[in-house]
Amino acid sequence: MSGGLGDADDREWRRLDPRTVLVRVALFGGVLVGAALPVAFGLAGDRPLWQAFAWVAAAAALALGVAVVAETVRFRRTRYRVGPDRVELHTGLLVVQRRSLARERVRSADLSANPLQRVFGLVKVRVGTGEHSGGESPLELDLVTRAEGERLRRELLARSAGPSGTPDGDDTLAALDPRWIRFAPVSFLVPALGGAAIGAVMQVSEWFGAQGKVIHWIGDRFQDVSLAWMIVDLVLLAAVTGAVGALGLWVEMWWNYRLEREPGGTLRVARGLLTTRSVSLEERRLRGVELVQPLGVRLCGAARVDAVATGLAQNDGDEHADLKNLLPAVERAVADRVAAQVLREPEPPTAAPLTVHPRAARTRRLRRALWAALAPVVVLAVLGLLLTPVLLYVAAGCAVVLTPIAVLFALDAYRGLGHAVSGAYLVTRSGTLRRATVALQRSGVIGWTVRQSYFQRRAGLLTLTATTAAGTGAYDILDAGENEGLTFAAGAVPDLLAPFLETKPVRGEREACAKRVTDAP
């Protein structure tokens, strides 16, 4: 839609779509309606319910009128243009904001649309530079037509050529497989969603003054059941509710999923059922990938793929998901294959065989796990001696249950340790509740941090941290052997750590040297 601002110099300026006023006012009206019900019931008290609703309706109508005026003024005062050198946005009500980004700094142009925006064929465009250290927020166009959004995305991300030595063209790396949904109920979201559902029922019943009736109704259902079985039944009910919620959330987030490589060397993730999202990532910002396996997902032989890239915030204003997600939880073989395609590698670095860490690392994990498991047992035992013998039985039960669980987790954490060099990538793996395998470009490592605690020195271990400008900024190789770990770091990134290392003779060389000194005249 052309600007029509009249000035010859302003012919390139454009306005947002006029329907943005209607959409934003409708969204605000929905928020008002959602807030009006509990407020009205709260104001009712001893006065008639109709009177409380009348007051709330009048206040809501006034707020809605103010919103209409404000959104109309905002629309009329907002304009943008994409020039050969800069992207500009002028907006503001009382305070006029003039934002300008150099085209060469633009690193992302992401599109999103909620259900109401999709009905009107509108999208929000978020233009970012990939720099978040200074707190700079993306430049947002809220809202334009989908055709205009796609045009802006293509224009802003257009590059003359892709990465050197690689073909330039469209390439679909992964598309939705409905069978992936089976991994949704094993995520850590299930108990959280189950608890949230129970809390929502209790909160809504409180609004209507029926919370006591709900509790009484639940008590009637379990009046002939023991307390233990009632707890088990409620936990199972919450788990089923959480699983259903996880399935629904997965469908909303990942439906119509597609991972594509576009001309110019840009990765694009498109997904979403009700709220659609399109996230773009330049390959020149990519420094590697991370295979993430929460415990439940890992037990099912699956993993998800995240990008390790520069300029990606952990949550860049997207309330639904992390912007670094490239692939949902899928079969491990599929995740490895997609990781290799994303990195343009013939073999997946994430599947490379890893160096096993010393047994001292296993001992450290067993010791810490046992301390964590037996600490509450000791506390309960002391309280039992001082207060009541019942706590002694509780302490014994905790010891019987927690000790084998702690040992299993410690052994699993040790088996998860590993590191290797696979071609141009440094690979490290760790974790048990959340196991992560990171393949990081060796050229992207800008420093090494070597840490060694007192107990690690006694065990001959150390922790190496690869520092990079991408992802979380640092990736650990936990409890590696002293000599092997330092040799690995020096070889993985040549000339970075080697000048600070001192070669020590091995035991055989020391004995030979001592013998030569003894035999000397």
Side-chain angles (χ1 to χ4, degrees):
M1 178 177 178
S2 60
L5 298 176
D7 230 304
D9 295 337
D10 289 343
R11 289 176 184 174
E12 298 179 0
W13 287 99
R14 294 173 178 263
R15 291 196 188 277
L16 304 177
D17 192 279
R19 292 170 293 178
T20 185
V21 176
L22 177 61
V23 172
R24 290 174 67 92
V25 169
L27 288 174
F28 182 69
V31 174
L32 286 178
V33 172
L37 287 177
V39 171
F41 282 109
L43 290 176
D46 297 332
R47 63 177 59 90
L49 187 61
W50 66 267
Q51 189 178 39
F53 268 97
W55 289 354
V56 173
L62 178 61
L64 198 62
V66 173
V68 170
V69 174
E71 291 298 335
T72 302
V73 174
R74 187 189 75 90
F75 164 73
R76 295 181 63 85
R77 294 180 64 86
T78 301
R79 56 180 182 168
Y80 68 94
R81 69 176 174 183
V82 179
D85 300 318
R86 308 196 70 82
V87 184
E88 299 175 82
L89 173 66
H90 293 179
T91 186
L93 296 177
L94 300 177
V95 179
V96 178
Q97 298 179 356
R98 300 176 183 271
R99 298 199 57 190
S100 178
L101 293 179
R103 286 280 301 272
E104 62 184 12
R105 294 181 58 213
V106 173
R107 296 292 180 264
S108 64
D110 303 330
L111 311 182
S112 63
N114 61 38
L116 183 60
Q117 293 165 352
R118 293 181 63 189
V119 169
F120 288 93
L122 304 177
V123 297
K124 178 191 291 187
V125 182
R126 306 174 77 249
V127 182
T129 62
E131 299 176 2
H132 303 277
S133 58
E136 181 181 12
S137 61
L139 186 150
E140 293 188 354
L141 303 179
D142 188 11
L143 303 156
V144 298
T145 63
R146 175 165 289 278
E148 173 69 0
E150 290 290 347
R151 184 193 70 80
L152 288 171
R153 191 185 68 82
R154 289 192 298 269
E155 182 178 356
L156 293 173
L157 297 180
R159 298 290 184 268
S160 59
S164 59
T166 59
D168 195 11
D170 291 296
D171 186 14
T172 299
L173 304 183
L176 177 70
D177 185 343
R179 293 176 297 178
W180 295 344
I181 196 175
R182 69 183 186 272
F183 300 119
V186 296
S187 71
F188 286 125
L189 284 175
V190 170
L193 292 174
I198 294 175
V201 171
M202 302 305 293
Q203 182 63 57
V204 172
S205 64
E206 184 181 8
W207 290 346
F208 291 93
Q211 191 177 82
K213 295 181 180 179
V214 171
I215 296 175
H216 182 70
W217 181 85
I218 295 175
D220 290 341
R221 303 283 78 77
F222 294 97
Q223 61 181 352
D224 297 328
V225 180
S226 65
L227 178 61
W229 279 111
M230 183 182 72
I231 294 175
V232 171
D233 291 340
L234 290 177
V235 170
L236 290 176
L237 178 62
V240 172
T241 304
V244 173
L247 290 172
L249 186 62
W250 190 96
V251 172
E252 151 61 14
M253 289 178 57
W254 294 104
W255 200 252
N256 295 321
Y257 162 81
R258 198 173 189 84
L259 173 62
E260 299 173 320
R261 175 176 285 118
E262 296 185 319
T266 299
L267 295 173
R268 183 190 185 190
V269 179
R271 57 190 175 87
L273 178 63
L274 300 178
T275 300
T276 59
R277 308 168 192 86
S278 173
V279 179
S280 301
L281 172 65
E282 284 186 313
E283 287 187 85
R284 64 179 181 177
R285 295 167 54 199
L286 194 66
R287 296 294 179 266
V289 296
E290 182 177 17
L291 251 66
V292 181
Q293 295 176 287
L295 181 59
V297 172
R298 177 160 58 89
L299 292 177
C300 294
R304 80 166 190 262
V305 180
D306 291 349
V308 177
T310 59
L312 272 185
Q314 294 301 307
N315 195 328
D316 193 9
D318 188 345
E319 67 274 18
H320 294 282
D322 208 321
L323 296 180
K324 64 184 179 181
N325 295 153
L326 298 179
L327 188 69
V330 300
E331 297 87 348
R332 176 62 190 267
V334 176
D336 285 329
R337 175 180 59 81
V338 172
Q341 291 177 318
V342 167
L343 299 176
R344 297 181 184 267
E345 291 290 321
E347 297 295 332
T350 52
L354 304 180
T355 300
V356 178
H357 286 209
R359 290 188 176 182
R362 181 180 63 184
T363 303
R364 276 173 54 82
R365 275 148 186 78
L366 285 171
R367 186 181 296 115
R368 286 184 295 185
L370 290 175
W371 271 112
L374 295 179
V377 174
V378 173
V379 173
L380 289 172
V382 172
L383 292 177
L385 293 174
L386 297 176
L387 301 177
T388 172
V390 175
L391 293 179
L392 295 176
Y393 295 102
V394 176
C398 289
V400 171
V401 174
L402 295 180
T403 301
I405 294 177
V407 171
L408 287 176
F409 274 107
L411 295 177
D412 182 69
Y414 170 71
R415 285 193 295 267
L417 294 177
H419 61 275
V421 170
S422 178
Y425 291 88
L426 181 156
V427 185
T428 177
R429 184 181 67 195
S430 63
T432 180
L433 293 178
R434 181 190 182 274
R435 180 163 296 173
T437 304
V438 180
L440 182 64
Q441 281 182 358
R442 294 158 65 184
S443 59
V445 177
I446 59 178
W448 285 103
T449 300
V450 182
R451 301 195 309 273
Q452 192 176 41
S453 68
Y454 169 76
F455 296 103
Q456 283 180 312
R457 285 198 301 272
R458 291 190 59 184
L461 303 174
L462 53 77
T463 294
L464 294 163
T465 301
T467 306
T468 180
T472 60
Y475 294 93
D476 293 331
I477 301 175
L478 301 174
D479 288 341
E482 279 184 339
N483 293 332
E484 195 279 330
L486 293 174
T487 302
F488 168 79
V493 188
D495 302 328
L496 189 60
L497 189 62
F500 303 96
L501 298 181
E502 178 181 342
T503 303
K504 292 184 178 181
V506 297
R507 181 178 179 181
E509 293 177 348
R510 289 198 302 266
E511 292 176 351
C513 182
K515 186 176 185 302
R516 287 196 298 270
V517 172
T518 303
D519 296 340

